Amino acid sequence: MRDIPLLIGGKEIHEGSDGVGESRDPSTGKVIGRFVRAGENEVNAAVEAARKAFDQGPWAKLRPFERGRILHKIGELILERRDAIAKLEAQDSGKPLRDAYWEVDCAARFFEYYAGVADKQHGSSIPLGPDWSDWTVKDAIGVSLHIIPWNYPFQLIARGVAPALTAGCSVIIKPATETPLSAYEFVKICQEAGLPDGQVNLINGRGSLIGDALASHKGIDQITFTGSVPTGERVLKAAASHAIPCNMELGGKSPQILFGDADLDKAIPLVAGGFLTHAGQVCNAGTRLLVERSAHDRVVEKLHAHIRAMNIGSAVDDPDMGPVINQSHRDSIASYYDVAAKDGEILWGADLPKAPELSDGAFVRPALVVGASNLTRIAREEIFGPILTVIPFDTEEEAIRIANDSDFGLVAGVHTTNINRALGVGQHLRAGQVWVNSFGVGLDVEFPFGGYKLSGFGREKGLEALGAYQQIKNICIHHPLR
Ligand code: NAP
């Protein structure tokens, strides 16, 4: 049992204005942690601490290479504690242990990567003629608020906070109430690595209460929000009330296009992993499979065999698939079994697991849906669960049209052995990332990630992420010779 305080200005706060919340292990339903819930007082205190750290603190005075060393140290400490953090994350979020290890390793990669970038944030020199000197500098934007969802909390905190610190910002982290535990480990590591007090602050609490108070607070200069579209829209309205920029990382209904010439032995595990990882609770889950008609029946048969062979179990036992986040989300996914049965035909799934050892957890079974058109609810709505809709197509043009016919545009996959087809189709897909003969990231933090359309705007990861945390200042000097 863990007791999680708030961490504001380097100090632990053990009482909050909104009492105490509980965190449960979705595999067992048991309470594994309690956390202090902040209210408006603590929101104000966190903003004040972050503001003070930014305006007066030593972080801004450090030379960039010195900041880089501290960022690198954070990555090292994360790796030193990977066993403990991975186990905690598996218990708190329900992801199988191997995915939790990936999450921790990926968090460390963000700090390694941005540590190396800290002293390479060059501006540019702009020629205006002999009597002028003109150059740009990259200023930190200020206090950066990070609102985090429950699916990959540790990794998503690192994804935004590492570039924000690199740019020189101070940070406030607001984790999801479902998964508050690993954020505390993260901030403790930051303190131990030598980050000044107030540079990173942790504020737990109900999003409906403190989310809006944080997002509309005049002391916040920028928001990185990762979560659902409806909440994202609320955050955008709050941000608009004081005209600050936001990075919006929202949902998806990503297509995977599988051509008849694909190597099925390689493609099937990728397609399956694309919609089954963390029980489908992944923003970039590939939940629409567009299959060339000639390969449709073969592909469906193989996928069917794949999911029937999966074992479902408690996250810490590292099964093929763990639980979903809670009973209410389980019920929401189960309601889509009925939607699927109306929109098409369910080949596997459509009920909840019956094993007695799973009865206290929030478990679902994966489902394969055929015969539903791309216009149906099952093919259009983000379910955030392990349900794959398989849609046949006849030509490249039709595959592109169906893939792009979505409110979302986060990622897309293409499976083919024809390089011309891969390049051509990839160019026409309206998505922030296109994967060919692969799907989803490993430890690749180097390239940009973000959505088109309702999937959001702004880019995380890679050098592109830094721009969200910087202001470009131009300095121009007129110095004619006398
Ligand atoms: P959510 O319900 O939108 O919650 C996200 C965060 O917003 C939580 O910390 C939540 O706090 C907070 N929040 C709730 N109401 C708020 C308000 N009025 N103002 C400010 N913050 C508020 O999303 P979720 O269910 O945790 O996560 C699933 C969604 O995230 C999916 O749509 C998924 O696709 C998306 N996602 C996107 C990415 C990406 O990179 N594009 C990555 C991961 C997940 P509470 O928990 O306290 O309510």
Side-chain angles (χ1 to χ4, degrees):
M1 176 67 69
R2 284 163 187 263
D3 281 303
I4 305 294
L6 309 177
L7 277 164
I8 297 177
K11 294 194 181 60
E12 297 197 349
I13 313 282
H14 291 271
E15 266 184 41
S17 314
D18 191 34
V20 174
E22 285 179 341
S23 183
R24 288 174 189 271
D25 177 346
S27 300
T28 62
K30 290 202 174 98
V31 175
I32 53 171
R34 293 197 186 86
F35 58 96
V36 173
R37 287 201 312 211
E40 212 167 320
N41 292 344
E42 293 79 23
V43 164
N44 290 335
V47 176
E48 203 177 299
R51 187 86 258 155
K52 188 169 161 207
F54 181 72
D55 290 342
Q56 305 167 18
W59 191 242
K61 294 179 190 137
L62 287 181
R63 295 187 60 190
F65 77 86
E66 293 171 316
R67 284 192 210 155
R69 282 180 183 159
I70 294 177
L71 296 173
H72 206 274
K73 182 76 189 162
I74 295 174
E76 276 173 12
L77 289 173
I78 290 173
L79 287 181
E80 264 174 33
R81 291 179 204 165
R82 71 192 283 274
D83 290 338
I85 301 170
K87 191 159 176 238
L88 183 68
E89 200 63 297
Q91 276 187 313
D92 205 21
S93 73
K95 64 176 64 70
L97 200 51
R98 84 194 80 136
D99 291 348
Y101 270 108
W102 167 82
E103 176 164 10
V104 178
D105 292 346
C106 195
R109 279 293 297 126
F110 280 115
F111 280 92
E112 290 165 355
Y113 176 79
Y114 288 107
V117 175
D119 55 359
K120 298 169 192 71
Q121 288 303 293
H122 307 161
S124 52
S125 161
I126 300 170
L128 293 181
D131 295 343
W132 301 83
S133 291
D134 189 283
W135 69 96
T136 60
V137 290
K138 293 177 178 171
D139 267 352
I141 200 162
V143 176
S144 171
L145 169 64
H146 295 248
I147 302 180
I148 308 293
W150 45 257
N151 62 341
Y152 285 92
F154 198 74
Q155 188 257 141
L156 294 175
I157 288 172
R159 185 173 85 177
V161 172
L165 290 174
T166 305
C169 293
S170 59
V171 166
I172 298 173
I173 302 167
K174 150 64 185 111
T177 42
E178 290 292 342
T179 51
L181 303 187
S182 63
Y184 175 74
E185 302 300 319
F186 175 82
V187 180
K188 294 300 280 181
I189 284 175
C190 290
Q191 288 179 335
E192 202 176 317
L195 267 192
D197 288 349
Q199 202 64 42
V200 174
N201 304 278
L202 170 65
I203 181 153
N204 278 304
R206 291 183 287 159
S208 54
L209 182 76
I210 61 166
D212 206 49
L214 280 163
S216 51
H217 199 294
K218 299 269 185 292
I220 301 283
D221 298 307
Q222 182 273 345
I223 301 174
T224 290
F225 173 82
T226 309
S228 63
V229 174
T231 314
E233 287 173 353
R234 278 197 286 277
V235 169
L236 277 173
K237 281 185 191 141
S241 72
H242 57 132
I244 58 166
C246 298
N247 247 19
M248 283 283 140
E249 297 295 345
L250 309 175
K253 189 78 183 180
S254 296
Q256 299 211 54
I257 305 175
L258 198 156
F259 286 95
D261 62 32
D263 178 341
L264 287 194
D265 288 340
K266 292 185 180 142
I268 294 295
L270 290 168
V271 170
F275 84 100
L276 295 169
T277 299
H278 197 5
Q281 302 164 113
V282 181
C283 52
N284 57 318
T287 46
R288 286 188 298 147
L289 177 63
L290 318 184
V291 194
E292 193 163 359
R293 199 175 300 274
S294 58
H296 180 273
D297 292 354
R298 259 182 310 142
V299 167
V300 167
E301 196 180 305
K302 281 178 184 286
L303 279 171
H304 202 170
H306 183 101
I307 60 177
R308 268 191 323 227
M310 288 173 66
N311 74 315
I312 299 174
S314 187
V316 286
D317 296 335
D318 202 23
D320 294 326
M321 199 174 95
V324 296
I325 190 68
N326 56 30
Q327 305 286 352
S328 133
H329 191 48
R330 183 197 64 176
D331 294 346
S332 158
I333 293 168
S335 74
Y336 276 96
Y337 294 152
D338 298 334
V339 175
K342 276 196 206 112
D343 290 346
E345 182 193 350
I346 303 178
L347 286 190
W348 179 256
D351 57 4
L352 300 172
K354 305 273 183 308
E357 67 275 15
L358 303 182
S359 60
D360 293 332
F363 292 94
V364 296
R365 288 204 304 162
L368 209 52
V369 183
V370 296
S373 96
N374 192 53
L375 299 174
T376 57
R377 278 185 64 197
I378 201 74
R380 300 195 83 76
E381 294 178 10
E382 185 187 42
I383 300 165
F384 227 49
I387 301 183
L388 180 72
T389 304
V390 187
I391 301 170
F393 68 84
D394 292 303
T395 63
E396 287 174 4
E397 290 71 21
E398 189 186 9
I400 293 166
R401 184 183 56 69
I402 299 173
N404 288 340
D405 181 10
S406 168
D407 293 337
F408 299 101
L410 195 50
V411 308
V414 182
H415 302 275
T416 177
T417 48
N418 178 334
I419 185 67
N420 288 335
R421 175 172 264 169
L423 292 170
V425 172
Q427 288 288 346
H428 287 90
L429 290 172
R430 303 272 302 152
Q433 282 190 341
V434 176
W435 298 89
V436 177
N437 296 331
S438 55
F439 195 81
V441 279
L443 294 177
D444 309 312
V445 303
E446 299 88 347
F447 43 69
F449 177 81
Y452 285 30
K453 302 188 260 182
L454 275 188
S455 293
F457 50 83
R459 290 295 177 265
E460 305 273 2
K461 306 172 75 169
L463 295 179
E464 283 79 1
L466 286 158
Y469 306 103
Q470 293 168 330
Q471 306 262 29
I472 304 292
K473 178 160 63 194
N474 191 79
I475 299 177
C476 181
I477 304 183
H478 189 209
H479 46 70
L481 285 177
R482 287 170 193 273

